[in-house]
Amino acid sequence: MTGSGQIIDGKAHAARLRADIAQAVIARASAGARAPALAVVLVGDDPASHVYVRNKTAACREAGITSIEHRRDATLPEAELLALVQQLNRDPAVDGILVQLPLPAHIDSARIISAISPDKDVDGFSPVNAGRLATGLDGFVPCTPLGCLRLLQSTLGDIAGAEAIVIGRSNIVGRPMASLLIGASATVTVAHSRSRDLPGLVRRADIVIAAVGRPEMVRGSWLKPGCTVIDVGINRVPKESGEGTRLVGDVAFAEAAEVAAHITPVPGGVGPMTIACLLENTLKAASLQ
Ligand code: NDP
């Protein structure tokens, strides 16, 4: 056991990144440019989505970024949502477009995401940006994996040659994370629900990224002593007292902190970095316009 278990303070990293972005926005303004502008589209009344959008718009405001919310009923026809996205694509006063997921079941999310202009796609989910990332071209990188990479690099410096495992292969987290790690010259394994001997795969890794959505699935005993753990999972579980709920990650934190050299907490790890990277992508979109 190594047991140093140094906590990677995502909140503090994110606050620094947001402060840098706010400075850059001020510098743009003094050069005569307007504030970067993000259009946020929210369809329906999923409570978690409303919380995410509120947090994103508050972070924009604090950094001097204009955010324009477009709220629509859950019954919005797909064609109308497409028309809204196309209108935002054409609007020169809009730099970035974010369509909050999940969308209601009658709407084809892939069709909507593909309709966002690649140069305004600050979530980096469109096939064009996914392709750019997969082929090593510059584009918009999804905010959560970008935040994970920033945390890794500020904790470990150069990660070239490190053995990394990404658990999860979603388009939002796992796949783009694997591309980013390959880009940083790590040796990457991607595990998923069909992988065999997950503990054995994790045991080899210097870097473990858990993006599964299963509370505390990754155990301390799976980890290589001295590894670095980035826990992307956000899972709500009942409190031991039986009253109310609490958030836990995909990693059993207390056990893992006994073995790992560095670990992100949940909450306060990856989550704040996701929002800071959204602001970073919006600033980038504004400088592309
Ligand atoms: P998805 O449900 O889209 O993907 C989960 C992945 O985990 C899939 O690839 C799935 O494999 C894999 N998986 C499921 N069960 C197992 C298992 N037993 N062993 C190995 N792999 C398994 O989730 P997301 O990628 O969208 O999100 C993952 C987690 O990250 C969630 O908890 C989510 O809330 C959180 N999240 C946090 C964010 C943040 O800002 N901190 C942002 C986005 C997500 P398969 O493909 O074979 O089905």
Side-chain angles (χ1 to χ4, degrees), residues 52 144 167-175 191-195 198 210-214 217 231-235 248-250 269-275:
Y52 291 141
T144 298
I167 317 174
R169 56 176 166 180
S170 72
N171 290 335
I172 293 175
V173 191
R175 278 171 207 253
H192 44 75
S193 67
R194 307 291 299 273
S195 296
L198 187 58
V212 189
R214 290 182 181 257
M217 184 187 83
D231 189 351
V232 183
I234 302 178
N235 309 289
V248 297
D250 290 339
V270 173
M273 285 300 286
T274 296
I275 294 190

Side-chain angles (χ1 to χ4, degrees), residues 21-287:
I21 293 161
Q23 280 304 316
V25 171
I26 291 168
R28 273 174 54 95
S30 27
R34 64 160 170 74
L38 174 67
V40 181
V41 179
L42 178 56
V43 184
D45 34 43
D46 176 55
S49 293
H50 277 258
V51 173
Y52 291 141
V53 165
R54 206 164 43 237
N55 292 343
K56 287 168 186 175
T57 35
C60 280
R61 199 176 320 117
E62 209 185 296
I65 293 174
T66 306
S67 85
I68 313 136
E69 280 187 35
H70 297 266
R71 293 179 184 235
R72 297 291 186 273
D73 283 350
T75 54
L76 181 76
E78 184 181 285
E80 285 186 29
L81 182 55
L82 264 180
L84 173 60
V85 167
Q86 280 152 2
Q87 177 211 315
L88 295 170
N89 283 341
R90 287 189 301 269
D91 188 343
V94 170
D95 299 308
I97 302 171
L98 181 155
V99 177
Q100 183 65 42
L101 300 177
L103 289 169
H106 68 277
I107 295 178
D108 180 350
S109 303
R111 186 174 297 156
I112 300 298
I113 298 301
S114 303
I116 299 173
S117 161
D119 290 341
K120 295 189 176 188
D121 169 31
V122 287
D123 256 342
F125 295 158
S126 74
V128 172
N129 280 310
R132 286 172 176 163
L133 176 60
T135 52
L137 296 174
D138 188 38
F140 288 104
V141 175
C143 305
T144 298
L146 183 59
C148 294
L149 184 73
R150 297 258 187 277
L151 289 178
L152 275 175
Q153 288 177 327
S154 61
T155 305
L156 298 175
D158 186 9
I159 58 169
E163 287 242 16
I165 185 164
V166 182
I167 317 174
R169 56 176 166 180
S170 72
N171 290 335
I172 293 175
V173 191
R175 278 171 207 253
M177 187 74 240
S179 293
L180 281 175
L181 290 167
I182 292 168
S185 297
T187 302
V188 185
T189 301
V190 180
H192 44 75
S193 67
R194 307 291 299 273
S195 296
R196 285 195 292 265
D197 186 21
L198 187 58
L201 295 173
V202 171
R203 182 82 188 169
R204 286 179 24 192
D206 307 304
I207 294 169
V208 178
I209 315 271
V212 189
R214 290 182 181 257
E216 301 180 322
M217 184 187 83
V218 177
R219 310 309 308 187
S221 60
W222 297 11
L223 300 172
K224 175 173 166 178
C227 70
T228 296
V229 177
I230 306 287
D231 189 351
V232 183
I234 302 178
N235 309 289
R236 198 163 277 289
V237 297
K239 281 188 181 159
E240 280 87 16
S241 65
E243 276 177 42
T245 57
R246 65 191 177 102
L247 290 182
V248 297
D250 290 339
V251 178
F253 180 83
E255 289 175 13
E258 290 288 313
V259 187
H262 309 276
I263 183 165
T264 58
V266 177
V270 173
M273 285 300 286
T274 296
I275 294 190
C277 289
L278 171 67
L279 304 185
E280 187 183 334
N281 279 353
T282 304
L283 179 63
K284 177 174 169 169
S287 43

